[in-house]
Amino acid sequence: MKRAIGFLRRDISGDDREVDEKAINDLAAAEGYRVDTIVTVGPEVPHPFSRILVAVSRTDADVVITPSHVHVADFARALLVVADLIIITPHQTLRRGVRHSTESDRP
């Protein structure tokens, strides 16, 4: 089975954190992934991308699943060097190594 990690920011999910975690797990199951962990960070974490790198490396994940572009806006391009990215809303799958327009690219 293909491996995934989830990623969300508490300051963005807010009271919907459990809903977002369930959405990550549901989408992963629907697309044939096993979620090994959901990396959850708050605004106090200075470099959340480093947490993702550690989790991807530790679990040998193929993909990172996140609720929306906003959760990964600061480092979406860098993330696509190491894993595919699935965004739940709006549903989008971005493949690693392929140049994509991301939310952070938009004016």
Side-chain angles (χ1 to χ4, degrees):
M1 180 172 262
K2 300 179 288 184
R3 293 178 153 179
I5 64 165
F7 177 77
L8 59 88
R9 290 181 36 187
R10 283 190 309 269
D11 55 321
I12 295 171
S13 289
D15 292 338
D16 291 331
R17 178 178 169 190
E18 289 181 14
V19 171
D20 286 345
E21 289 177 354
K22 182 177 181 336
I24 288 168
N25 284 309
D26 290 350
L27 185 131
E31 296 204 10
Y33 291 97
R34 181 184 82 216
V35 176
D36 287 316
T37 190
I38 296 178
V39 176
T40 304
V41 300
E44 74 283 355
V45 175
H47 304 290
F49 181 59
S50 63
R51 301 258 177 116
I52 293 174
L53 287 177
V54 168
V56 166
S57 176
R58 188 184 76 237
T59 64
D60 198 27
D62 301 293
V63 67
V64 175
I65 302 172
T66 193
S68 71
H69 286 282
V70 180
H71 290 264
V72 295
D74 297 338
F75 49 81
R77 271 200 190 144
L79 175 58
L80 289 168
V81 172
V82 298
D84 293 348
L85 174 62
I86 298 177
I87 297 154
I88 297 172
T89 304
H91 185 73
Q92 186 177 19
T93 300
L94 305 172
R95 299 288 175 207
R96 80 183 97 188
V98 176
R99 172 88 167 107
H100 299 279
S101 173
T102 62
E103 286 291 316
S104 60
D105 293 336
R106 298 179 185 157

XYZ file of all heavy atoms in Angstrom:
831
model
N 0.838 -1.184 0.000
C 0.000 0.000 0.000
C 0.886 1.253 0.000
O 1.912 1.297 0.659
C -0.903 -0.017 1.235
C -1.809 1.191 1.322
S -3.038 1.069 2.637
C -4.410 0.507 1.674
N 0.471 2.253 -0.738
C 1.208 3.514 -0.801
C 1.069 4.246 0.532
O 0.062 4.135 1.206
C 0.662 4.379 -1.939
C 0.770 3.725 -3.297
C 0.197 4.603 -4.386
C -1.315 4.647 -4.278
N -1.971 5.402 -5.343
N 2.103 4.991 0.869
C 2.133 5.689 2.157
C 1.911 7.178 1.991
O 2.351 7.783 1.016
C 3.472 5.462 2.829
C 3.660 4.035 3.231
C 4.997 3.852 3.843
N 4.908 2.733 4.746
C 5.905 2.279 5.438
N 7.083 2.858 5.379
N 5.743 1.254 6.233
N 1.260 7.758 3.003
C 0.979 9.193 3.020
C 1.218 9.740 4.409
O 1.176 9.008 5.400
C -0.480 9.441 2.624
N 1.474 11.032 4.448
C 1.398 11.758 5.708
C 0.407 12.894 5.494
O 0.226 13.376 4.371
C 2.758 12.293 6.206
C 3.338 13.337 5.253
C 3.735 11.163 6.453
C 4.470 14.138 5.864
N -0.243 13.275 6.555
C -1.113 14.434 6.514
C -0.370 15.617 7.088
O 0.603 15.455 7.837
N -0.810 16.808 6.717
C -0.216 18.010 7.284
C -1.306 19.045 7.473
O -2.098 19.314 6.564
C 0.868 18.598 6.390
C 1.428 19.881 6.945
C 2.324 19.858 8.001
C 1.023 21.112 6.453
C 2.818 21.043 8.553
C 1.513 22.302 6.989
C 2.410 22.257 8.040
N -1.326 19.616 8.665
C -2.234 20.746 8.878
C -1.659 21.682 9.923
O -0.828 21.302 10.747
C -3.639 20.292 9.258
C -3.852 19.446 10.505
C -4.040 20.328 11.717
C -5.088 18.606 10.299
N -2.095 22.916 9.812
C -1.707 23.946 10.767
C -2.889 24.224 11.673
O -3.991 24.516 11.213
C -1.288 25.213 10.018
C 0.026 25.030 9.293
C 0.478 26.254 8.556
N 0.154 27.495 9.255
C 0.341 28.685 8.727
N 0.847 28.809 7.518
N 0.021 29.771 9.400
N -2.647 24.138 12.984
C -3.712 24.361 13.961
C -4.327 25.747 13.845
O -5.534 25.908 14.003
C -3.173 24.173 15.386
C -2.985 22.747 15.795
C -2.693 22.618 17.282
N -1.620 23.479 17.747
C -0.332 23.144 17.793
N 0.041 21.959 17.392
N 0.570 23.988 18.245
N -3.502 26.754 13.556
C -4.019 28.116 13.473
C -4.942 28.307 12.273
O -5.787 29.192 12.274
C -2.888 29.142 13.452
C -1.874 28.909 12.346
O -1.532 27.737 12.066
O -1.406 29.905 11.753
N -4.817 27.457 11.270
C -5.691 27.541 10.102
C -6.916 26.649 10.290
O -8.040 27.056 10.014
C -4.928 27.183 8.817
C -3.843 28.232 8.567
C -5.884 27.075 7.627
C -2.882 27.885 7.463
N -6.706 25.434 10.780
C -7.831 24.515 10.996
C -8.737 24.988 12.116
O -9.954 24.815 12.052
C -7.329 23.107 11.315
O -6.772 22.509 10.174
N -8.138 25.560 13.158
C -8.933 26.045 14.279
C -9.803 24.952 14.874
O -9.346 23.835 15.122
N -11.074 25.258 15.060
C -12.013 24.303 15.652
C -12.334 23.132 14.727
O -12.954 22.163 15.153
C -13.320 25.006 16.038
C -13.127 25.990 17.182
O -12.143 25.845 17.940
O -13.969 26.903 17.316
N -11.924 23.221 13.470
C -12.187 22.157 12.498
C -11.051 21.144 12.408
O -11.008 20.340 11.476
C -12.442 22.756 11.109
C -13.750 23.513 11.046
O -14.685 23.163 11.802
O -13.840 24.459 10.240
N -10.149 21.156 13.364
C -8.986 20.269 13.301
C -9.398 18.801 13.148
O -8.871 18.090 12.293
C -8.128 20.448 14.542
C -6.942 19.526 14.572
C -6.097 19.761 15.777
N -5.124 18.692 15.912
C -4.375 18.528 16.967
N -4.461 19.375 17.971
N -3.533 17.534 17.027
N -10.324 18.331 13.956
C -10.752 16.931 13.860
C -11.412 16.650 12.516
O -11.226 15.578 11.941
C -11.685 16.566 15.005
C -10.968 16.477 16.344
C -11.895 16.095 17.484
O -13.032 15.649 17.232
O -11.464 16.235 18.635
N -12.181 17.604 12.008
C -12.810 17.466 10.695
C -11.733 17.358 9.620
O -11.814 16.523 8.717
C -13.754 18.656 10.412
C -14.255 18.656 8.976
C -14.916 18.663 11.391
N -10.709 18.203 9.703
C -9.616 18.168 8.735
C -8.838 16.858 8.807
O -8.478 16.275 7.780
C -8.669 19.353 8.942
C -9.254 20.671 8.465
O -10.265 20.657 7.726
O -8.696 21.729 8.833
N -8.586 16.365 10.015
C -7.881 15.089 10.165
C -8.693 13.951 9.555
O -8.146 13.082 8.869
C -7.580 14.814 11.631
C -6.507 15.720 12.198
C -6.258 15.507 13.680
O -6.997 14.714 14.328
O -5.321 16.138 14.203
N -9.999 13.952 9.790
C -10.869 12.925 9.206
C -10.865 13.027 7.682
O -10.790 12.006 6.988
C -12.285 13.040 9.743
C -13.216 11.954 9.209
C -14.586 12.050 9.820
C -15.568 10.994 9.351
N -15.363 10.359 8.092
N -10.896 14.243 7.158
C -10.872 14.434 5.702
C -9.572 13.904 5.106
O -9.582 13.280 4.032
C -11.063 15.905 5.358
N -8.462 14.119 5.791
C -7.171 13.592 5.329
C -7.223 12.071 5.282
O -6.858 11.446 4.285
C -6.021 14.088 6.237
C -5.767 15.580 5.994
C -4.749 13.271 6.013
C -4.858 16.242 7.018
N -7.676 11.457 6.373
C -7.750 9.991 6.424
C -8.729 9.424 5.401
O -8.442 8.407 4.755
C -8.115 9.535 7.835
C -6.941 9.646 8.778
O -5.857 9.164 8.503
N -7.151 10.313 9.897
N -9.877 10.074 5.225
C -10.880 9.594 4.266
C -10.369 9.680 2.836
O -10.530 8.739 2.048
C -12.188 10.379 4.401
C -12.943 10.084 5.683
O -12.571 9.121 6.401
O -13.897 10.833 5.991
N -9.757 10.805 2.488
C -9.246 10.948 1.130
C -8.122 9.954 0.867
O -8.059 9.347 -0.198
C -8.766 12.376 0.876
C -8.339 12.587 -0.570
C -8.975 13.838 -1.138
C -6.839 12.665 -0.682
N -7.252 9.784 1.837
C -6.160 8.823 1.683
C -6.707 7.422 1.422
O -6.269 6.739 0.487
C -5.279 8.821 2.930
N -7.659 7.008 2.203
C -8.244 5.674 2.023
C -8.894 5.541 0.653
O -8.738 4.519 -0.027
C -9.259 5.398 3.124
N -9.604 6.579 0.222
C -10.279 6.542 -1.073
C -9.291 6.447 -2.231
O -9.612 5.874 -3.277
C -11.159 7.789 -1.239
N -8.088 6.989 -2.035
C -7.095 6.976 -3.103
C -6.031 5.895 -2.919
O -5.033 5.870 -3.640
C -6.472 8.357 -3.254
C -7.526 9.381 -3.687
C -6.954 10.588 -4.386
O -5.751 10.594 -4.736
O -7.727 11.538 -4.586
N -6.230 5.004 -1.957
C -5.346 3.860 -1.790
C -4.074 4.122 -1.014
O -3.083 3.405 -1.178
N -4.096 5.118 -0.139
C -2.938 5.427 0.697
C -3.206 5.039 2.142
O -4.345 5.070 2.598
C -2.633 6.928 0.677
C -2.118 7.439 -0.635
C -2.979 8.044 -1.554
C -0.774 7.331 -0.966
C -2.506 8.526 -2.759
C -0.291 7.814 -2.176
C -1.167 8.403 -3.067
O -0.698 8.884 -4.266
N -2.142 4.707 2.842
C -2.200 4.520 4.287
C -1.546 5.737 4.927
O -0.395 6.068 4.615
C -1.435 3.259 4.691
C -1.490 3.011 6.201
C -0.672 1.821 6.628
N 0.725 2.264 6.740
C 1.768 1.507 6.415
N 1.598 0.302 5.930
N 2.992 1.961 6.562
N -2.249 6.410 5.810
C -1.696 7.575 6.501
C -0.864 7.078 7.682
O -1.387 6.452 8.595
C -2.805 8.537 6.991
C -2.201 9.691 7.787
C -3.607 9.067 5.811
N 0.429 7.352 7.632
C 1.316 6.945 8.711
C 1.285 7.920 9.881
O 1.451 7.516 11.024
C 2.747 6.800 8.195
C 2.917 5.561 7.328
O 2.414 4.494 7.711
O 3.534 5.673 6.256
N 1.108 9.192 9.588
C 1.060 10.205 10.632
C 0.428 11.471 10.061
O 0.443 11.673 8.848
C 2.472 10.519 11.194
O 2.357 11.339 12.349
C 3.353 11.192 10.178
N -0.108 12.273 10.935
C -0.557 13.609 10.548
C 0.300 14.599 11.332
O 0.260 14.630 12.557
C -2.051 13.839 10.827
C -2.894 12.884 9.976
C -2.427 15.302 10.545
C -4.393 12.992 10.194
N 1.102 15.340 10.601
C 1.967 16.351 11.206
C 1.100 17.581 11.446
O 0.522 18.137 10.516
C 3.156 16.687 10.281
C 4.002 17.803 10.877
C 3.987 15.445 9.995
N 1.007 17.975 12.695
C 0.195 19.128 13.078
C 1.101 20.140 13.755
O 1.821 19.797 14.698
C -0.924 18.701 14.047
O -1.692 17.668 13.430
C -1.824 19.869 14.394
N 1.089 21.367 13.244
C 1.935 22.413 13.816
C 1.100 23.647 14.109
O 0.035 23.842 13.541
C 3.116 22.790 12.883
C 4.007 21.598 12.610
C 2.619 23.413 11.593
N 1.629 24.458 14.975
C 1.009 25.735 15.291
C 1.901 26.865 14.829
O 2.997 26.632 14.301
N 1.467 28.087 15.031
C 2.249 29.239 14.575
C 3.579 29.395 15.306
O 4.467 30.086 14.827
C 1.330 30.425 14.844
C 0.353 29.956 15.858
C 0.211 28.476 15.678
N 3.728 28.720 16.428
C 4.984 28.809 17.182
C 6.110 27.989 16.548
O 7.271 28.130 16.920
C 4.775 28.358 18.637
C 4.614 26.863 18.832
C 3.240 26.299 18.451
O 2.333 27.072 18.110
O 3.089 25.059 18.504
N 5.783 27.133 15.580
C 6.796 26.305 14.915
C 7.423 27.139 13.796
O 6.752 27.485 12.826
C 6.173 25.010 14.358
C 7.199 24.213 13.573
C 5.595 24.175 15.492
N 8.723 27.464 13.926
C 9.335 28.380 12.965
C 9.554 27.801 11.567
O 9.520 28.526 10.590
C 10.674 28.735 13.615
C 10.968 27.612 14.532
C 9.637 27.082 14.986
N 9.760 26.500 11.455
C 10.045 25.883 10.160
C 9.227 24.596 9.993
O 9.771 23.498 10.102
C 11.534 25.579 10.032
C 12.396 26.782 10.228
N 12.451 27.818 9.321
C 13.212 27.135 11.251
C 13.266 28.746 9.771
N 13.742 28.361 10.940
N 7.945 24.728 9.727
C 7.115 23.523 9.630
C 7.538 22.582 8.507
O 7.345 21.369 8.611
C 5.707 24.060 9.403
C 5.866 25.461 8.955
C 7.167 25.939 9.509
N 8.146 23.120 7.463
C 8.576 22.256 6.371
C 9.586 21.219 6.842
O 9.576 20.076 6.385
C 9.138 23.087 5.213
C 9.576 22.257 4.050
C 8.685 21.428 3.385
C 10.885 22.298 3.613
C 9.087 20.650 2.312
C 11.299 21.536 2.534
C 10.400 20.708 1.882
N 10.443 21.595 7.791
C 11.420 20.628 8.302
C 10.720 19.453 8.982
O 11.182 18.314 8.900
C 12.416 21.291 9.249
O 11.758 21.799 10.386
N 9.594 19.708 9.629
C 8.824 18.619 10.254
C 8.279 17.667 9.186
O 8.242 16.459 9.377
C 7.678 19.184 11.078
C 8.114 20.108 12.184
C 8.083 19.408 13.522
N 8.581 20.293 14.550
C 7.868 20.738 15.564
N 6.603 20.389 15.691
N 8.417 21.525 16.472
N 7.841 18.240 8.068
C 7.344 17.409 6.975
C 8.480 16.566 6.398
O 8.310 15.371 6.142
C 6.688 18.270 5.881
C 5.409 18.909 6.405
C 6.387 17.432 4.631
C 4.773 19.889 5.458
N 9.632 17.185 6.191
C 10.776 16.436 5.653
C 11.128 15.240 6.525
O 11.380 14.143 6.017
C 11.999 17.345 5.508
C 11.982 18.354 4.380
C 13.235 19.224 4.436
C 11.876 17.660 3.040
N 11.154 15.454 7.826
C 11.470 14.365 8.750
C 10.419 13.257 8.630
O 10.749 12.067 8.549
C 11.571 14.878 10.201
C 11.607 13.735 11.197
C 12.786 15.776 10.358
N 9.145 13.630 8.597
C 8.071 12.636 8.521
C 8.106 11.875 7.196
O 7.926 10.652 7.169
C 6.713 13.306 8.714
N 8.334 12.582 6.094
C 8.413 11.915 4.783
C 9.575 10.942 4.775
O 9.445 9.799 4.324
C 8.539 12.950 3.641
C 8.952 12.286 2.326
C 7.232 13.707 3.451
N 10.705 11.370 5.287
C 11.886 10.509 5.326
C 11.670 9.298 6.237
O 11.979 8.168 5.866
C 13.086 11.320 5.804
O 14.209 10.502 5.935
N 11.124 9.541 7.412
C 10.925 8.469 8.393
C 9.931 7.411 7.901
O 10.113 6.224 8.135
C 10.452 9.061 9.714
C 10.413 8.049 10.850
C 9.854 8.632 12.137
N 8.407 8.732 12.000
C 7.692 9.847 12.134
N 8.279 10.978 12.411
N 6.388 9.832 12.004
N 8.885 7.853 7.208
C 7.830 6.926 6.788
C 7.953 6.490 5.339
O 7.208 5.623 4.901
C 6.444 7.574 6.972
O 6.340 8.713 6.116
C 6.200 7.964 8.413
N 8.892 7.099 4.604
C 9.039 6.836 3.172
C 7.718 7.120 2.444
O 7.278 6.363 1.581
C 9.508 5.402 2.929
C 10.078 5.210 1.537
O 10.581 6.196 0.945
O 10.003 4.080 1.018
N 7.088 8.234 2.819
C 5.779 8.603 2.256
C 5.904 9.005 0.793
O 6.890 9.618 0.376
C 5.168 9.751 3.054
N 4.875 8.656 0.045
C 4.785 9.020 -1.367
C 4.115 10.373 -1.558
O 4.331 11.053 -2.554
C 3.955 7.974 -2.125
C 4.550 6.592 -2.018
O 5.651 6.387 -2.561
O 3.914 5.714 -1.384
N 3.259 10.740 -0.591
C 2.408 11.916 -0.753
C 2.156 12.596 0.588
O 2.163 11.941 1.630
C 1.064 11.511 -1.426
C 0.241 10.620 -0.520
C 0.248 12.715 -1.853
N 1.947 13.908 0.516
C 1.492 14.696 1.663
C 0.082 15.158 1.329
O -0.164 15.683 0.243
C 2.411 15.908 1.923
C 1.854 16.778 3.045
C 3.825 15.449 2.249
N -0.836 14.958 2.264
C -2.231 15.360 2.063
C -2.537 16.485 3.045
O -2.246 16.373 4.233
C -3.190 14.181 2.288
C -2.842 13.024 1.348
C -4.647 14.630 2.086
C -3.614 11.735 1.622
N -3.137 17.553 2.530
C -3.442 18.715 3.356
C -4.839 19.247 3.027
O -5.309 19.059 1.898
C -2.357 19.801 3.168
O -2.484 20.792 4.172
C -2.413 20.427 1.796
N -5.506 19.882 3.971
C -6.876 20.349 3.734
C -7.015 21.397 2.632
O -7.990 21.400 1.895
C -7.303 20.935 5.081
C -6.424 20.281 6.077
C -5.126 20.050 5.377
N -6.042 22.332 2.549
C -6.133 23.393 1.540
C -4.736 23.927 1.246
O -3.778 23.657 1.981
C -7.034 24.529 2.023
O -6.403 25.244 3.063
N -4.631 24.714 0.169
C -3.355 25.340 -0.203
C -2.782 26.176 0.930
O -1.567 26.265 1.079
C -3.557 26.276 -1.409
C -3.757 25.591 -2.701
N -2.732 25.037 -3.421
C -4.882 25.357 -3.427
C -3.202 24.504 -4.521
N -4.509 24.675 -4.551
N -3.646 26.787 1.709
C -3.194 27.720 2.748
C -2.253 27.034 3.745
O -1.299 27.646 4.222
C -4.405 28.349 3.475
C -3.962 29.308 4.559
C -5.306 29.050 2.479
N -2.486 25.774 4.020
C -1.659 25.054 4.999
C -0.204 24.920 4.544
O 0.693 24.820 5.386
C -2.250 23.668 5.271
C -3.527 23.702 6.033
N -3.589 23.535 7.398
C -4.809 23.904 5.626
C -4.849 23.620 7.796
N -5.607 23.852 6.728
N 0.041 24.894 3.240
C 1.393 24.679 2.713
C 1.873 25.816 1.821
O 2.883 25.698 1.129
C 1.489 23.345 1.941
C 1.262 22.164 2.867
C 0.526 23.320 0.758
N 1.175 26.937 1.842
C 1.457 28.041 0.914
C 2.915 28.501 0.957
O 3.484 28.837 -0.085
C 0.530 29.217 1.195
N 3.529 28.493 2.119
C 4.895 29.008 2.255
C 5.958 28.089 1.669
O 7.083 28.531 1.428
C 5.233 29.262 3.722
C 4.361 30.336 4.347
O 3.803 31.158 3.592
O 4.221 30.338 5.577
N 5.630 26.829 1.442
C 6.667 25.886 1.014
C 6.158 24.812 0.050
O 6.763 23.750 -0.072
C 7.316 25.221 2.233
C 6.327 24.674 3.211
C 5.727 23.448 3.009
C 5.990 25.395 4.345
C 4.810 22.946 3.915
C 5.071 24.899 5.257
C 4.480 23.667 5.038
N 5.084 25.085 -0.663
C 4.513 24.088 -1.583
C 5.530 23.640 -2.631
O 5.655 22.445 -2.914
C 3.244 24.621 -2.247
N 6.241 24.576 -3.219
C 7.234 24.208 -4.244
C 8.321 23.305 -3.682
O 8.710 22.324 -4.307
C 7.881 25.456 -4.830
C 7.143 25.993 -5.990
C 8.090 26.890 -6.770
N 7.332 27.602 -7.751
C 7.565 28.834 -8.111
N 8.543 29.514 -7.560
N 6.840 29.401 -9.034
N 8.833 23.648 -2.516
C 9.882 22.831 -1.899
C 9.350 21.443 -1.568
O 10.056 20.444 -1.725
C 10.410 23.515 -0.641
N 8.119 21.381 -1.133
C 7.500 20.096 -0.811
C 7.452 19.184 -2.031
O 7.691 17.980 -1.938
C 6.099 20.328 -0.254
C 5.246 19.110 0.042
C 5.941 18.190 1.025
C 3.902 19.543 0.572
N 7.189 19.760 -3.185
C 7.070 18.968 -4.411
C 8.397 18.400 -4.901
O 8.431 17.628 -5.847
C 6.392 19.790 -5.508
C 4.908 20.026 -5.259
C 4.367 21.079 -6.219
C 4.124 18.723 -5.373
N 9.476 18.734 -4.241
C 10.764 18.121 -4.546
C 10.836 16.730 -3.912
O 11.459 15.823 -4.445
C 11.931 19.007 -4.059
C 13.268 18.294 -4.193
C 11.933 20.321 -4.831
N 10.156 16.550 -2.774
C 10.295 15.306 -2.018
C 9.072 14.391 -2.047
O 9.173 13.208 -1.739
C 10.689 15.582 -0.547
C 12.040 16.274 -0.475
C 9.627 16.389 0.164
N 7.898 14.938 -2.387
C 6.677 14.114 -2.359
C 5.612 14.739 -3.255
O 5.676 15.917 -3.590
C 6.135 14.009 -0.927
N 4.642 13.918 -3.614
C 3.452 14.451 -4.269
C 2.642 15.184 -3.209
O 2.812 14.954 -2.007
C 2.601 13.325 -4.859
C 3.271 12.604 -6.024
O 4.294 13.080 -6.540
O 2.749 11.536 -6.419
N 1.745 16.044 -3.654
C 0.914 16.819 -2.748
C -0.536 16.687 -3.186
O -0.854 16.933 -4.349
C 1.335 18.293 -2.771
C 0.490 19.296 -1.996
C 0.495 18.978 -0.502
C 0.995 20.716 -2.247
N -1.386 16.276 -2.266
C -2.820 16.238 -2.536
C -3.482 17.271 -1.644
O -3.306 17.267 -0.426
C -3.435 14.853 -2.277
C -2.802 13.805 -3.198
C -4.955 14.902 -2.496
C -3.294 12.383 -2.957
N -4.216 18.164 -2.287
C -4.967 19.197 -1.590
C -6.430 18.788 -1.632
O -6.953 18.451 -2.703
C -4.742 20.565 -2.252
C -3.250 20.923 -2.121
C -5.629 21.627 -1.631
C -2.741 21.843 -3.159
N -7.068 18.804 -0.474
C -8.444 18.317 -0.393
C -9.424 19.305 -1.016
O -10.276 18.919 -1.822
C -8.814 17.992 1.068
C -7.915 16.855 1.581
C -10.290 17.640 1.188
C -8.030 16.563 3.059
N -9.319 20.598 -0.636
C -10.272 21.596 -1.134
C -9.529 22.807 -1.665
O -8.825 23.452 -0.885
C -11.232 22.036 -0.016
O -11.878 20.890 0.518
C -12.271 22.997 -0.534
N -9.654 23.138 -2.927
C -10.295 22.329 -3.958
C -9.410 21.131 -4.285
O -8.180 21.233 -4.241
C -10.403 23.275 -5.151
C -9.269 24.237 -4.978
C -9.083 24.369 -3.483
N -10.040 20.014 -4.603
C -9.291 18.772 -4.828
C -8.290 18.945 -5.966
O -8.652 19.351 -7.065
C -10.226 17.606 -5.124
C -9.478 16.310 -5.233
N -8.956 15.692 -4.132
C -9.132 15.559 -6.300
C -8.334 14.585 -4.516
N -8.425 14.488 -5.827
N -7.030 18.673 -5.635
C -5.970 18.825 -6.615
C -4.826 17.897 -6.234
O -4.468 17.806 -5.054
C -5.501 20.283 -6.610
C -4.506 20.640 -7.651
C -4.164 22.129 -7.619
O -4.391 22.818 -6.630
N -3.601 22.625 -8.689
N -4.255 17.223 -7.216
C -3.081 16.396 -6.994
C -1.928 16.990 -7.780
O -2.028 17.165 -8.997
C -3.324 14.940 -7.439
O -4.413 14.401 -6.690
C -2.088 14.082 -7.219
N -0.871 17.324 -7.077
C 0.326 17.885 -7.692
C 1.437 16.847 -7.578
O 1.718 16.352 -6.485
C 0.733 19.182 -6.985
C -0.355 20.258 -6.896
C 0.105 21.399 -6.012
C -0.727 20.751 -8.273
N 2.049 16.527 -8.698
C 3.090 15.494 -8.721
C 4.463 16.110 -8.486
O 4.780 17.176 -9.011
C 3.090 14.768 -10.065
C 1.787 14.069 -10.365
C 1.614 12.857 -9.498
N 0.302 12.274 -9.737
C -0.360 11.573 -8.858
N 0.157 11.356 -7.664
N -1.532 11.079 -9.138
N 5.277 15.401 -7.724
C 6.635 15.879 -7.445
C 7.428 15.965 -8.748
O 7.193 15.201 -9.678
C 7.329 14.999 -6.418
C 7.894 13.721 -6.979
C 8.506 12.873 -5.914
N 7.483 11.897 -5.538
C 7.579 11.076 -4.533
N 8.627 11.082 -3.767
N 6.625 10.230 -4.264
N 8.314 16.932 -8.783
C 9.177 17.091 -9.939
C 8.532 17.777 -11.133
O 9.173 17.993 -12.146
N 7.254 18.141 -11.028
C 6.552 18.810 -12.114
C 6.309 20.250 -11.690
O 5.901 20.509 -10.562
C 5.199 18.109 -12.420
C 4.422 18.861 -13.483
C 5.427 16.657 -12.813
N 6.561 21.185 -12.585
C 6.333 22.607 -12.258
C 4.839 22.875 -12.239
O 4.142 22.665 -13.211
C 7.025 23.477 -13.309
C 6.719 24.937 -13.193
C 7.696 25.627 -12.248
N 7.548 27.066 -12.418
C 6.956 27.831 -11.521
N 6.499 27.327 -10.415
N 6.847 29.122 -11.709
N 4.348 23.342 -11.114
C 2.931 23.661 -10.933
C 2.798 25.105 -10.506
O 3.655 25.654 -9.829
C 2.307 22.797 -9.821
C 2.357 21.347 -10.080
N 1.464 20.701 -10.885
C 3.215 20.395 -9.624
C 1.743 19.416 -10.917
N 2.807 19.200 -10.155
N 1.684 25.702 -10.856
C 1.342 26.988 -10.299
C 0.730 26.710 -8.940
O -0.171 25.881 -8.812
C 0.320 27.698 -11.187
O -0.129 28.867 -10.576
N 1.225 27.347 -7.902
C 0.693 27.140 -6.557
C 0.064 28.426 -6.075
O 0.268 29.487 -6.642
C 1.794 26.696 -5.578
O 2.767 27.738 -5.495
C 2.448 25.396 -6.016
N -0.690 28.342 -5.009
C -1.337 29.523 -4.428
C -0.314 30.612 -4.144
O -0.591 31.784 -4.319
C -2.069 29.162 -3.127
C -3.350 28.399 -3.351
C -4.431 29.219 -3.993
O -4.637 30.387 -3.590
O -5.073 28.724 -4.923
N 0.893 30.240 -3.719
C 1.891 31.259 -3.383
C 2.427 31.949 -4.632
O 3.037 33.009 -4.534
C 3.033 30.636 -2.577
O 3.666 29.621 -3.321
N 2.226 31.363 -5.811
C 2.647 31.992 -7.057
C 1.664 33.044 -7.525
O 1.977 33.875 -8.356
C 2.765 30.958 -8.181
C 3.880 29.967 -7.961
O 4.825 30.303 -7.236
O 3.808 28.866 -8.526
N 0.449 32.985 -7.029
C -0.620 33.857 -7.515
C -0.562 35.206 -6.836
O -0.289 35.283 -5.644
C -1.968 33.183 -7.284
C -2.052 31.888 -8.078
C -3.338 31.184 -7.866
N -3.252 29.903 -8.566
C -3.956 28.851 -8.282
N -4.830 28.907 -7.309
N -3.806 27.739 -8.946
N -0.872 36.260 -7.607
C -0.842 37.606 -7.010
C -1.915 37.809 -5.976
O -2.866 37.164 -5.860
C -1.049 38.528 -8.199
C -1.481 37.690 -9.349
C -1.233 36.261 -8.989
